[in-house]
Amino acid sequence: MDPRTEPRSRRERPAKPALSRAVIVATAMEITRAEGLRKVTMRRLARELDTGPASLYVYVSNTAALHAAILDEFLGTVEAPAEGEWQERLEGLLTAYTSVLLAHPGLAASALVARPGGPRYLALLERLLGLLDEGGVPGGRAAWGVDTLMLHATATAAEHAGRDGTDGEREDWDALAHAIDTVDERTHPRIAALGADLMSGAPHERLSWGFRTLINGIARTPNPFAAPDDDAAVADR
Amino acid sequence: MDPRTEPRSRRERPAKPALSRAVIVATAMEITRAEGLRKVTMRRLARELDTGPASLYVYVSNTAALHAAILDEFLGTVEAPAEGEWQERLEGLLTAYTSVLLAHPGLAASALVARPGGPRYLALLERLLGLLDEGGVPGGRAAWGVDTLMLHATATAAEHAGRDGTDGEREDWDALAHAIDTVDERTHPRIAALGADLMSGAPHERLSWGFRTLINGIARTPNPFAAPDDDAAVADR
DNA sequence: ACCTGAACACCGTTCAAGT
DNA sequence: ACCTGAACACCGTTCAAGT
């Protein structure tokens, strides 16, 4: 088994795989895991599968649909915490969702634009609604709130996944921090007064505060479309 | 001045404009207004300016920086309402910001990724912080909350600007609505119970509820990083 | 009937070679 | 010293022509 004596082709191709939707999606997920969703292009996929890009259109209607299928697949890996108060489990589930998006650059941006509706998405939705119900949040508020919570998680991930961390991103942050630091206190009194508070906190602390903020707001903001269920009181935290 | 007798070249070129950052940004804004930010590419811009794409890199470091400059310019057109309670004016200002993003497809997506830090962005931030201060929201919560409010507005706009409204978008929505309608009530009890509530409400009603939800949450969720200012009480609405 | 090569219409960015 | 033509390395999608 000495790797030096073992002959090895540059890339092991077990014959040529028969094309199918399943093979395409599986290959796309491999690329996503290795290099991020941005590299999952029709042409790249075709190259990987030893065919021309036109062939893929027999199984996948377009790039957006392919990305949506990959997203739903990844949603299956979101794990909910098993213990704690309902708020903690809710926050944990949302944090896990955010982490999955952050782990694969480009996934978040796609989740923001694609209307997800696959089975894994529905399962995640159900879990979120279950936790809100457990916390006594009225149905109408939970129904609208769950969208807001998902949007917050997705948008936060998209914001962070945008920057490749390479170069200009740090500069942008520094530039904003400097602009806030040196702002004219006559024209921008509030920014000057708050100063460092505006840039404080690690990303995960900001995310956690955002979830708690939303949960508190959802619990106490009546949905004007739902049956009157406004008597519920939920404790702040 | 009869337009039929007035000779008119296919495109009036007042000689060839001297290249400069200002000319590039101005031309880019024209394209954005007419066809959306997505059409603002280095090559398209170069074509419009009668030169090669390489020439633009003398004045603009890359496409992302150009898009950020355009965004900040558009932020200057966000108008705040002059009357009403602080919550109404805050919601109005955020709605105006959202409308600007929605008016120019691609702007929202860019706002989500680019760290905005231009003068118009700072002015908008100041106005938002001023309104939160007027409402008695403690500084630490306002400092973190303002980011959350902007993110919610930006993400909502990005979500809606993604769909060109052309074709597959309606199908996606119908598919999700159908999936929710026909969900198995044993595996997905909460989705089944809430049913139509999950899809109810016009986009602007959802957006408004989202802002109110966030404002309510921000006012009553302590910022763990700021000085203790937890005694503030703000009425629900 | 099913599949796909080749084409159409684009991209961002760099760099060597010109003025 | 300054500017840019041309090249490199890509895109998504369609459709006529093949098997």
Side-chain angles (χ1 to χ4, degrees), chain B residues 94-205:
Chain B
L94 289 163
T95 304
Y97 166 71
T98 311
S99 299
V100 168
L101 294 189
L102 282 173
H104 308 284
L107 207 56
S110 161
L112 205 56
V113 173
R115 288 253 150 250
R120 329 300 196 116
Y121 174 76
L122 286 181
L124 180 54
L125 209 63
E126 177 66 29
R127 277 187 284 174
L128 293 169
L129 290 170
L131 287 165
L132 288 167
D133 187 49
E134 196 182 321
V137 176
R141 304 177 193 190
W144 282 21
V146 78
D147 234 46
T148 316
L149 287 166
M150 290 287 281
L151 188 64
H152 184 73
T154 309
T156 301
E159 204 181 29
H160 288 259
R163 29 185 162 295
D164 315 0
T166 22
D167 47 329
E169 312 293 356
R170 192 123 221 105
E171 284 171 40
D172 285 2
W173 199 89
D174 290 351
L176 182 54
H178 184 258
I180 286 174
D181 251 26
T182 62
V183 86
D184 184 331
E185 98 181 274
R186 268 172 316 237
T187 56
H188 300 74
R190 293 308 303 154
I191 293 177
L194 293 172
D197 277 352
L198 287 163
M199 309 292 279
S200 70
H204 78 267
E205 282 151 345

Side-chain angles (χ1 to χ4, degrees), chain B residues 15 19-20 51 69 81 110 145 162-163 195 213:
Chain B
L19 222 50
S20 70
T51 182
S110 161
R163 29 185 162 295
T213 297

Side-chain angles (χ1 to χ4, degrees), chain A residues 112 115 122 126 144 155 159 163 188-191 197 200 205 209 213 216-218 220-222 225 236, chain B residues 112 115 122 126 144 155-156 159 163 188-191 197 200 205 209 213 216-218 220-222 225 236:
Chain A
L112 204 56
R115 287 252 150 252
L122 286 181
E126 177 66 28
W144 282 20
E159 203 181 32
R163 29 183 164 298
H188 300 73
R190 293 308 303 154
I191 293 177
D197 277 352
S200 70
E205 282 152 344
W209 183 84
T213 296
N216 285 337
I218 289 165
R220 56 196 350 119
T221 308
F225 270 68
D236 287 331
Chain B
L112 205 56
R115 288 253 150 250
L122 286 181
E126 177 66 29
W144 282 21
T156 301
E159 204 181 29
R163 29 185 162 295
H188 300 74
R190 293 308 303 154
I191 293 177
D197 277 352
S200 70
E205 282 151 345
W209 183 83
T213 297
N216 285 336
I218 290 164
R220 55 194 353 115
T221 308
F225 270 68
D236 286 332

